[in-house]
Amino acid sequence: YAIVAQGFEAGGHRGAFDHAAAERQTIGLFALVPRRADHIDVPIIAAGGICDGVSMAAAFAMGAEGVQMGTRMLSCQESPVHDNWKQAVVAARETDTVFLNQQSRPALRALRTARTAALEPLGKFNVMENMAGIAQLYFGGDMEAAIPLSGEVCGRIDAVISARQIIDETMAGFHDVIS
């Protein structure tokens, strides 16, 4: 068994914003992983903001024993998502994501598009209605057809490369940092 500790900066489905539990829902990775490592006796997989050896080493320094790289792998050559989405990740800055549906479930972090910018001020909306065009987004490349889930780490991804190259470079960078 392992626990995935996903920081607030991660893309995709997020916990809904709950005023009574806000501190649990909006904690960044640097606060979350060490806190969990102090209280959990199972391996922790860090997720959110990890895309290379430096960020992997930081996660391990905080107590993680593994990492999950969602946005980084979404944008690799082998990923089945359309190249438009991959190129949008590469072009994005770390400030080019939005946190959506904060007053409901599931809350989401996604790339900023015309659709997501219009949804951002809404505290609550029907996610399924806004994901009806998911096939057109994933496979047709229509960035407005649905919500393109992605994390803040998009600002650190500067190329679409192979999964093997991502892993090789991540491991090499990790070993450089820890040595």
Side-chain angles (χ1 to χ4, degrees):
Y1 295 97
I3 300 286
V4 175
Q6 185 176 23
F8 185 67
E9 58 274 271
H13 295 166
R14 313 291 314 123
F17 186 83
D18 178 349
H19 290 286
E23 67 183 50
R24 289 197 320 266
Q25 302 298 327
T26 59
I27 298 174
L29 195 66
F30 272 72
L32 180 64
V33 171
R35 179 75 173 149
R36 297 301 176 258
D38 289 344
H39 295 89
I40 297 174
D41 290 331
V42 297
I44 295 173
I45 310 301
I50 299 167
C51 67
D52 59 12
V54 171
S55 48
M56 180 178 172
F60 274 59
M62 293 185 295
E65 295 183 45
V67 296
Q68 176 178 300
M69 297 189 293
T71 301
R72 183 66 199 121
M73 294 312 239
L74 168 103
S75 61
C76 77
Q77 289 172 348
E78 295 87 349
S79 171
V81 304
H82 195 277
D83 195 54
N84 289 354
W85 191 349
K86 295 175 192 182
Q87 293 305 321
V89 167
V90 169
R93 298 173 313 217
E94 59 277 358
T95 56
D96 288 339
T97 66
V98 293
F99 184 53
L100 303 171
N101 207 33
Q102 295 179 27
Q103 302 299 323
S104 189
R105 290 182 188 250
L108 309 166
R109 181 169 302 282
L111 286 175
R112 185 180 318 278
T113 64
R115 175 189 286 266
T116 62
L119 293 170
E120 186 177 18
L122 306 177
K124 185 176 186 178
F125 61 85
N126 183 326
V127 170
M128 296 311 292
E129 183 179 288
N130 283 279
M131 295 301 264
I134 194 73
Q136 291 90 350
L137 167 63
Y138 270 76
F139 308 115
D142 181 351
M143 294 298 291
E144 299 298 335
I147 300 170
L149 305 175
S150 300
E152 290 176 335
V153 77
C154 61
R156 297 195 55 232
I157 299 169
D158 59 5
V160 175
I161 59 176
S162 72
R164 179 180 197 103
Q165 187 175 354
I166 291 168
I167 292 168
D168 289 348
E169 289 177 5
T170 298
M171 294 309 298
F174 171 78
H175 289 293
D176 285 347
V177 169
I178 64 169
S179 58

